[in-house]
Amino acid sequence: MTNIYRLAKDCADFMSANITKQKNRIHSGNLIFTDYDILGDLKQWETMLQNLCAAMSQRYPLMSQYLSDCMRKFDEEPIVYFSSISAIIECVLSLEKESTGKRVFISHSSKDKQYVTDFVNHILCLGIGLSPDDIFCTSIEDMTMRNGEDIRMHIQENIRSAEYSFLLISNNYKASEVCVNEMGAVWAYEANVRLFLLPNTDFTSIGWLCDTRKADKLTDSVALDRLYKEMVEYFSLKENLIHWSQQREMFVGRVRV
C-alpha cells in the first residue's frame, strides 16, 4: 500500500468511528426545514485531511486542491462539504487500491549490481529505515518480480506507483536501451526523482542523460545526508543520526574501494 492509500484509509476509518451527522428539524411558521450538524473530533479530522492533502499534491494535484478548498469552506455548509470530502477520499482509495507497485523504484544497469546492492542495504534499508518490501530493484532477488509475471508490465506498474525513483547512472546505464527507456518512463510520471552518478562516471561521459536534471555523486556525503533528511520526513520514519552516519560512511567506503 502506498502512503497516500494509508492516509486516505485512516481518514475514512476515523470518519466512520468518530464523525457523525445530526439531523435537525427547523420550524418556520407552517414550514419545517431540515438541517445537519457535523459532530465529533473535527480538529483531529482536519489534521488528518491536511496530511492526506499534502501527500496527494504531486500525484493528484487537482484532487488535492479540491480537497483543500472543501476543507476551507467546510464551516459555510458542513453537510455539503462533508459529502464532498467523503467522495474525494473514496475516489483516492479506489485509485490507490488498484496499485500493487512498491514505494521506491531503482533504475540501474544489472552490470552495476554490487553498487546497487550496497546502496539498497546501507543507505535505503539500514540507514534510512525503509522496508525491503517497499523497494523494487531487479538486481536483488527479493525485490523483483515473481516467476510468471510479465517483466515489462511489472516494471511499468512499479514506476507508476513509486513515490521515490532513483536513477543510478553509469556508462553501463547509458549503453542499455532498457535503462534509457526506464529513465524516460520515470521522468514522465514525475515522482520524487533522484539521480546519482556511479564511480568512474562524470557528467561529460553521460552527456544528454543529465542535461535537464541535477545529479549527485554516489559518494557525496552531503547529498546522501540531504536524501536521508528528505526520506525520513516524507515516509515519517524514526530519525537516528548516529546510526545513519555509520551506515553512510560504511557505504561510501565500500563504493570507493
Side-chain angles (χ1 to χ4, degrees), residues 8-27:
K9 186 67 166 59
D10 288 345
C11 286
D13 291 345
F14 186 86
M15 289 170 66
S16 177
N18 300 283
I19 307 295
T20 60
K21 294 184 288 184
Q22 178 178 287
K23 185 176 181 179
N24 302 315
R25 295 168 65 88
I26 303 171
H27 295 267

Side-chain angles (χ1 to χ4, degrees), residues 148-171:
E149 292 181 310
D150 185 323
I151 182 64
R152 292 169 300 177
M153 293 298 295
H154 198 62
I155 288 175
Q156 183 180 13
E157 168 62 18
N158 280 278
I159 291 175
R160 184 185 72 83
S161 67
E163 296 171 58
Y164 263 83
S165 294
F166 291 94
L167 310 182
L168 302 186
I169 300 173
S170 66
N171 292 319

Side-chain angles (χ1 to χ4, degrees), residues 12-13 29 33 36 52 63 65 74 85 104 109 116 118 148 161 168 178 180 212 217 238 244:
D13 291 345
F33 298 93
Y36 292 86
L52 174 60
M63 278 202 297
Q65 183 59 54
F74 180 79
I85 290 170
V104 174
S109 167
V116 178
D118 287 340
S161 67
L168 302 186
V178 172
V180 174
T212 59
K217 290 284 189 180
K238 185 177 180 181
W244 159 251

Side-chain angles (χ1 to χ4, degrees), residues 2-256:
T2 66
N3 185 47
I4 295 175
Y5 181 87
R6 279 197 291 266
L7 290 172
K9 186 67 166 59
D10 288 345
C11 286
D13 291 345
F14 186 86
M15 289 170 66
S16 177
N18 300 283
I19 307 295
T20 60
K21 294 184 288 184
Q22 178 178 287
K23 185 176 181 179
N24 302 315
R25 295 168 65 88
I26 303 171
H27 295 267
S28 179
N30 295 325
L31 299 176
I32 299 176
F33 298 93
T34 300
D35 193 11
Y36 292 86
D37 288 328
I38 306 300
L39 306 176
D41 190 348
L42 300 182
K43 283 291 185 183
Q44 177 63 25
W45 185 48
E46 181 182 8
T47 298
M48 296 174 72
L49 290 172
Q50 287 172 343
N51 291 336
L52 174 60
C53 197
M56 291 166 51
S57 61
Q58 290 190 352
R59 188 175 298 180
Y60 307 114
L62 294 179
M63 278 202 297
S64 176
Q65 183 59 54
Y66 185 43
L67 177 57
S68 179
D69 291 342
C70 290
M71 293 165 57
R72 179 168 48 82
K73 298 176 181 178
F74 180 79
D75 290 338
E76 299 175 10
E77 296 183 80
I79 188 61
V80 172
Y81 290 106
F82 179 83
S83 298
S84 296
I85 290 170
S86 299
I88 294 170
I89 291 173
E90 288 302 316
C91 183
V92 172
L93 287 173
S94 176
L95 288 170
E96 289 293 300
K97 196 170 184 179
E98 295 175 358
S99 173
T100 58
K102 300 190 178 184
R103 306 179 76 181
V104 174
F105 179 83
I106 301 178
S107 177
H108 63 287
S109 167
S110 59
K111 295 180 180 179
D112 299 317
K113 179 178 179 178
Q114 189 55 58
Y115 292 126
V116 178
T117 301
D118 287 340
F119 178 75
V120 169
N121 289 339
H122 293 288
I123 298 300
L124 297 184
C125 293
L126 296 176
I128 293 173
L130 290 174
S131 167
D133 292 337
D134 288 331
I135 302 170
F136 181 83
C137 177
T138 54
S139 287
I140 300 178
E141 184 176 351
D142 292 338
M143 296 179 180
T144 188
M145 57 179 282
R146 297 180 293 273
N147 288 338
E149 292 181 310
D150 185 323
I151 182 64
R152 292 169 300 177
M153 293 298 295
H154 198 62
I155 288 175
Q156 183 180 13
E157 168 62 18
N158 280 278
I159 291 175
R160 184 185 72 83
S161 67
E163 296 171 58
Y164 263 83
S165 294
F166 291 94
L167 310 182
L168 302 186
I169 300 173
S170 66
N171 292 319
N172 293 326
Y173 191 101
K174 182 178 180 180
S176 169
E177 182 179 350
V178 172
C179 289
V180 174
N181 287 339
E182 285 181 0
M183 172 180 277
V186 166
W187 285 356
Y189 283 109
E190 295 186 347
N192 291 311
V193 182
R194 298 293 180 270
L195 280 70
F196 283 97
L197 302 182
L198 271 58
N200 302 318
T201 309
D202 56 34
F203 292 99
T204 303
S205 66
I206 60 175
W208 63 270
L209 286 180
C210 282
D211 284 348
T212 59
R213 303 275 174 156
K214 184 180 183 300
D216 293 299
K217 290 284 189 180
L218 198 61
T219 53
D220 185 339
S221 293
V222 174
L224 293 173
D225 284 344
R226 187 165 57 245
L227 176 68
Y228 172 77
K229 182 177 180 180
E230 288 178 5
M231 297 192 76
V232 165
E233 181 177 346
Y234 182 88
F235 290 112
S236 300
L237 301 170
K238 185 177 180 181
E239 189 173 283
N240 187 332
L241 291 175
I242 295 177
H243 180 71
W244 159 251
S245 297
Q246 292 171 342
Q247 293 299 324
R248 181 201 62 211
E249 290 309 304
M250 189 178 303
F251 169 72
V252 170
R254 288 176 63 88
V255 171
R256 284 177 174 166

